[in-house]
Amino acid sequence: MLPNILDIATDHQLTFQPRSFGKKQTLAKCPFCREDDQPRKRKKYYLSLNTQEQLFRCWFCGESGGVFRFIALLEGVSEKEVIDRYRKKSGSTYKQHPAEKLTSSQCKMMGLDAKPDWVDIRKFDYESYKELRELVWKAWKQFLWNEKRFAYQLLVAGVAGGTYGNVVEAIQEREKAIGSPLLAEVLDIYSLPERPAQINRLEALTLHMCDPLKYPYSPMEKQ
Ligand SMILES: [Zn+2]
């Protein structure tokens, strides 16, 4: 959310036209040209604030722009400085993207060297930060998908080989290590009355690898 232009103007003690104060268009004396400060223009208020869009314009000198430019002009600093300052401030209340919540061991498990320093990257380059966030999240989902596939194969092999108890333990160990549920999800898929074709293929392949004679593999055949 943008800073509130009316609050900014109030903080800087602008002189408002009383009857317009707080309305969508609030009028004030222009602090930039001060044309309406002259005694003969006592009733004039050249600066118009759009309090909904957070914009300003002076009808006399033509100075105009958004709230960041407004702050910059009032404080005599660059607009970039104002934006940077505002970003830093809003950073503390920023709602984290799920990718940023991944722990450093999760980041390492999925193949990153380390957990990205999100705060630093966000400060340095906002666009790159957003791109990296999406990339990491996509990689994590891919990682989880692979994990589920391995867990499913393990389950199928365990059932076929009579080591169900052991594989359940192994899957539980793994879900603890990656910090994401596995067992409940693979059991859900395993117990579906009709599994997706892709899962049937994976299952046929796994069984075939366990015992090629007992489970001949023909991927084209409906299981
Ligand atoms: Zn002006």
Side-chain angles (χ1 to χ4, degrees):
M1 237 176 53
L2 291 172
N4 185 308
I5 201 161
L6 193 59
D7 289 347
I8 305 287
T10 306
D11 288 348
H12 283 85
Q13 301 176 331
L14 264 62
T15 309
F16 299 100
Q17 181 199 48
R19 65 185 160 87
S20 70
F21 185 81
K23 299 214 168 121
K24 185 187 172 194
Q25 176 176 252
T26 294
L27 297 173
K29 297 279 182 189
C30 178
F32 310 120
C33 61
R34 302 197 171 277
E35 176 68 21
D36 42 15
D37 274 355
Q38 302 177 56
R40 65 185 172 90
K41 291 194 169 178
R42 201 168 48 84
K43 289 190 174 165
K44 301 280 186 200
Y45 294 85
Y46 286 131
L47 186 75
S48 161
L49 303 176
N50 181 330
T51 60
Q52 276 169 20
E53 311 275 337
Q54 319 302 335
L55 304 168
F56 73 99
R57 167 178 291 278
C58 170
W59 298 110
F60 189 86
C61 67
E63 194 62 79
S64 65
V67 63
F68 290 124
R69 178 166 168 76
F70 188 60
I71 298 169
L73 289 170
L74 286 169
E75 297 185 1
V77 298
S78 75
E79 196 173 338
K80 189 183 174 298
E81 203 176 314
V82 176
I83 293 171
D84 284 350
R85 193 206 308 160
Y86 186 72
R87 249 182 216 158
K88 254 179 231 168
K89 225 203 284 179
S90 59
S92 55
T93 55
Y94 172 76
K95 195 173 168 289
Q96 279 184 323
H97 185 277
E100 292 172 68
K101 292 182 184 163
L102 294 173
T103 65
S104 56
S105 75
Q106 284 175 323
C107 289
K108 280 180 188 158
M109 267 189 283
M110 67 189 264
L112 297 178
D113 291 338
K115 180 182 164 128
D117 185 343
W118 293 111
V119 176
D120 207 48
I121 298 164
R122 190 166 68 228
K123 258 191 271 176
F124 182 69
D125 182 347
Y126 197 74
E127 284 307 309
S128 311
Y129 152 75
K130 281 204 298 191
E131 271 173 37
L132 185 64
R133 217 169 56 170
E134 288 311 312
L135 233 89
V136 168
W137 191 237
K138 227 171 123 180
W140 175 250
K141 283 195 287 192
Q142 179 67 46
F143 171 79
L144 279 189
W145 192 85
N146 280 330
E147 286 293 327
K148 275 176 210 164
R149 206 171 60 115
F150 293 142
Y152 193 81
Q153 287 189 280
L154 201 55
L155 184 71
V156 169
V159 172
T163 57
Y164 181 76
N166 293 347
V167 302
V168 164
E169 257 175 53
I171 294 170
Q172 282 171 327
E173 281 292 313
R174 188 60 188 165
E175 69 183 359
K176 244 184 261 166
I178 67 169
S180 185
L182 282 177
L183 185 63
E185 302 208 359
V186 294
L187 283 175
D188 275 354
I189 299 169
Y190 191 76
S191 54
L192 283 175
E194 273 193 47
R195 288 169 227 154
Q198 200 188 1
I199 300 291
N200 280 335
R201 273 182 80 174
L202 182 67
E203 193 162 327
L205 178 68
T206 309
L207 288 172
H208 179 69
M209 281 157 67
C210 291
D211 190 341
L213 294 177
K214 193 170 166 194
Y215 305 104
Y217 180 63
S218 59
M220 306 317 282
E221 219 173 80
K222 200 169 185 295
Q223 296 295 313

